[in-house]
Amino acid sequence: MAVAVGGGHFGYILDLLKRDKVTIKGIERELICPACKELFTHPLILPCQHNVCHKCVKEILFAFEDSSGGSESSNQSSPRIRITASVDRIDRITRSGRKHNSVTSRLSLFPCPGCQRNIDLGERGINGLFRNFTLETIVERYRQAARAAIAIMCDFCKPPPQESTKSCMDCSASYCNECFKVHHPWGTVKAQHEYVAPTTNFRPKILMCPEHEMEGVNMYCEICRRPVCHLCKLGGYHANHRVTTMSTAYKTLKEKLSKDIKYLISKESQVRAHIMQLDLLLKETECNSERAKEEASQSFEKLFHVLEEKKSAALRAIEASKTLRLEKLQMQAEEYQGLLENNGLVGYAQEVLKETDPSCFVQTAKQLHVRIQKATESLKSFRPAAGATFEDFVVDIAKQEEILGDLSFHSNGLEIPEINEEQSRIYNKALISWECPGNVDSADIYVLEYRKLNREDETEMWQVEVCSKSKVISDLDDDSSYAFRVRGYKGSICSPWSREVVLRTPPAPVFSFLFDDKCGYNSEHLLLNPGRTSVESRAGFPLLLGSERLQVGCYTTLDYIIGDTGIAKGKHFWAFHVEAYSYLVKVGVVSSHQINKLFHNSHDVTSPRYEQDSGHDSGSEDTFFDSSKPCTLVTLGMKKFFIPTTPAAPKDPASRILPLPSCLGICLDCDNGKVEFYDADCMKCLYECKVNCSGMMYPMFALMGGAAVHLEEAVTAKYEEHDDNV
């Protein structure tokens, strides 16, 4: 921050270091460009206050531009990759007929190799960056100290050049005594030039403003923490910023830096103690890592030994089975070989048939006939003596392979994370949240693994790394079940997998809408929240005034409200919550053709006067659902879900009453003319019916008495941000 203000800050630090007998080589780490890993050459100060060589900035910018259009942009644009862009290409673009800042105007984002973040360079790009002359001077001092005996030669001597004795800061050149007198004669303007000891680092006397190139900087912006000129303050980007004079900023920053340096020097003994401790840790790390490698090698050697024994036993068993089978098959083959004419048993029998002596023939033929009969029977029912397949010797390693896949460094101190089923849910996306019991030795990073269940093809798993304790998963298939589990990692140590949690996606894509506050909305009876995601019924004074005129009973009607977006085709799903205290709520769908009829009907079909079970109508409660009604609704209330009366519904009224789920869902299939009502917590269908979808269809809600409905909130990335903040 302070380096761009004046030229003495790093020199001041260097003087302090020299007085403390610290060699200039000790600060070499501060003089290395994070991009090219070499000493700085014309370093530029980035908005993040890191320094990068001017050439490296150009190379990184062009490489970043090239990679942003490719498929591997995320890798190529990484600041950790050393850029080797063509210098000729850079020069060609710089020399092209563009404006002075045309090279950088398109390249406002710069991946800083120092902080690994994308930095906005502004409209002027590279041309808006300050050159760090102070750092450049220190680098030059380091170079001179490193090459000690190497002299800087005169730029104007005829060959062979002489060693220079001074350098002119105005001419940006080095001279020997004779050449300096020739080019800076007494009595001329050049005689007044500023000269210094021989150097190759030439810096301007005045730091110029990169926004207004003819103006020198004379103020310091405390908001942007950079030098500015008076034009920047008058009408530029810094017009409304708090600025101070350059001398004040120089004095303030120098005092702060001096104070901090003195404090660090006063803590030298503490620093040295820390260094000794770190040296011990380095040695212990080396020793312990070798011990850990040896122990890991021994563990794997044990596994190899077990596997080798199992392998040898399996191969021996296969070999023994092969030998036995070959013997049986070979013996059987020889027996059948003997059945051929003039060969074996048949040949022997043919010779016996030549015997003419009856007594001798009978003596031999009896036993031979038995053998011939056995051969004949075996020929009729041929069966190999042994099988050629070795299916019984297939080694099942599925479980072992899974176990070996999970093989890692386990720590007893690393808690097994648990997926919070109350906070985890699936709607338009999946939100998976977890926690560690006791928060003891919490992990640095988590790996969330999920897979789709009941797949016909090969099971596929996905894994994502998460730094927080929640993750939003997108692109899940509709009407599918997914299993989720998570494990924690702390360095190379990992916890066992958590218990698997199964969640089911909605049966169709999620349909987003708000409550309509215009079409038929009764503001006297209904109250919408500002976001139009919740509606509450309120009786109010109109109901009291109306009931005052009645002597018997109380006439009340349903107050309807619809969604502000309609559905013309396809299959869609939406979910909502009904408050437990709600007396009566009806939910469903309504067509655009029936909306006018619904809102302009003076008598509501659900009022006590027109209830089917009120006594005014002799029809029974078993009257089937009438498709001619203005809308398709089901009744909820008093913590119950009432299945409408249909031919397929149970006759017993009690069996048509279900507990009210905490979250309800509706799936409208316009293409097939069907609407389904779901328990959205487990995606179980509670009731379905046909519906006429000839017009535009709208979500419909009706409330009476004390009741409230809240639309399900969509899952967005804000849940992860909220978890990070927590």
Side-chain angles (χ1 to χ4, degrees), residues 217-278:
V217 295
N218 53 6
M219 289 181 285
Y220 182 75
C221 177
E222 296 181 354
I223 304 299
C224 301
R225 299 184 298 176
R226 62 178 292 167
V228 295
C229 69
H230 68 283
L231 293 180
C232 293
K233 176 60 179 172
L234 289 177
Y237 176 74
H238 307 271
N240 298 320
H241 292 183
R242 184 173 66 254
V243 298
T244 184
T245 62
M246 189 64 70
S247 59
T248 302
Y250 173 78
K251 181 179 178 182
T252 302
L253 293 172
K254 188 171 184 177
E255 288 177 354
K256 288 182 179 179
L257 195 57
S258 301
K259 183 179 179 180
D260 292 341
I261 291 295
K262 289 178 180 178
Y263 174 79
L264 290 176
I265 293 176
S266 67
K267 298 294 182 179
E268 181 178 355
S269 59
Q270 183 178 349
V271 173
R272 293 187 183 280
H274 290 334
I275 292 175
M276 291 179 62
Q277 183 179 357
L278 291 173

Side-chain angles (χ1 to χ4, degrees), residues 219-381:
M219 289 181 285
Y220 182 75
C221 177
E222 296 181 354
I223 304 299
C224 301
R225 299 184 298 176
R226 62 178 292 167
V228 295
C229 69
H230 68 283
L231 293 180
C232 293
K233 176 60 179 172
L234 289 177
Y237 176 74
H238 307 271
N240 298 320
H241 292 183
R242 184 173 66 254
V243 298
T244 184
T245 62
M246 189 64 70
S247 59
T248 302
Y250 173 78
K251 181 179 178 182
T252 302
L253 293 172
K254 188 171 184 177
E255 288 177 354
K256 288 182 179 179
L257 195 57
S258 301
K259 183 179 179 180
D260 292 341
I261 291 295
K262 289 178 180 178
Y263 174 79
L264 290 176
I265 293 176
S266 67
K267 298 294 182 179
E268 181 178 355
S269 59
Q270 183 178 349
V271 173
R272 293 187 183 280
H274 290 334
I275 292 175
M276 291 179 62
Q277 183 179 357
L278 291 173
D279 288 338
L280 289 175
L281 288 175
L282 287 171
K283 294 177 181 178
E284 288 181 8
T285 302
E286 288 286 345
C287 181
N288 292 337
S289 66
E290 293 300 323
R291 186 183 299 112
K293 286 181 182 179
E294 184 178 352
E295 292 176 355
S297 297
Q298 291 176 357
S299 299
F300 281 101
E301 286 295 335
K302 290 180 181 178
L303 286 178
F304 294 153
H305 181 66
V306 172
L307 288 175
E308 283 295 334
E309 287 185 348
K310 291 290 184 180
K311 176 183 174 182
S312 300
L315 295 180
R316 285 196 301 269
I318 294 173
E319 186 65 26
S321 178
K322 181 193 77 170
T323 303
L324 181 61
R325 294 184 189 195
L326 289 177
E327 289 178 356
K328 290 182 178 180
L329 291 172
Q330 183 65 32
M331 186 180 298
Q332 188 178 22
E334 291 177 356
E335 289 179 357
Y336 276 92
Q337 189 73 26
L339 300 181
L340 297 176
E341 185 177 3
N342 299 323
N343 196 8
L345 181 62
V346 173
Y348 174 64
Q350 289 174 340
E351 292 297 326
V352 170
L353 288 174
K354 296 178 181 180
E355 176 64 50
T356 57
D357 187 340
S359 59
C360 292
F361 176 80
V362 171
Q363 182 184 14
T364 306
K366 181 59 178 177
Q367 182 184 8
L368 180 60
H369 185 250
V370 173
R371 294 177 60 191
I372 292 294
Q373 282 184 327
K374 288 183 178 179
T376 303
E377 290 175 0
S378 66
L379 189 62
K380 292 179 180 179
S381 57

Side-chain angles (χ1 to χ4, degrees), residues 683-695:
M683 293 301 167
K684 177 184 177 182
C685 184
L686 304 176
Y687 170 71
E688 66 177 56
C689 65
K690 292 291 184 180
V691 63
N692 185 2
C693 299
S694 58

Side-chain angles (χ1 to χ4, degrees), residues 636-647:
L636 317 170
M638 301 180 68
K639 301 182 181 179
K640 303 296 182 184
F641 179 96
F642 299 90
I643 299 177
T645 304
T646 63

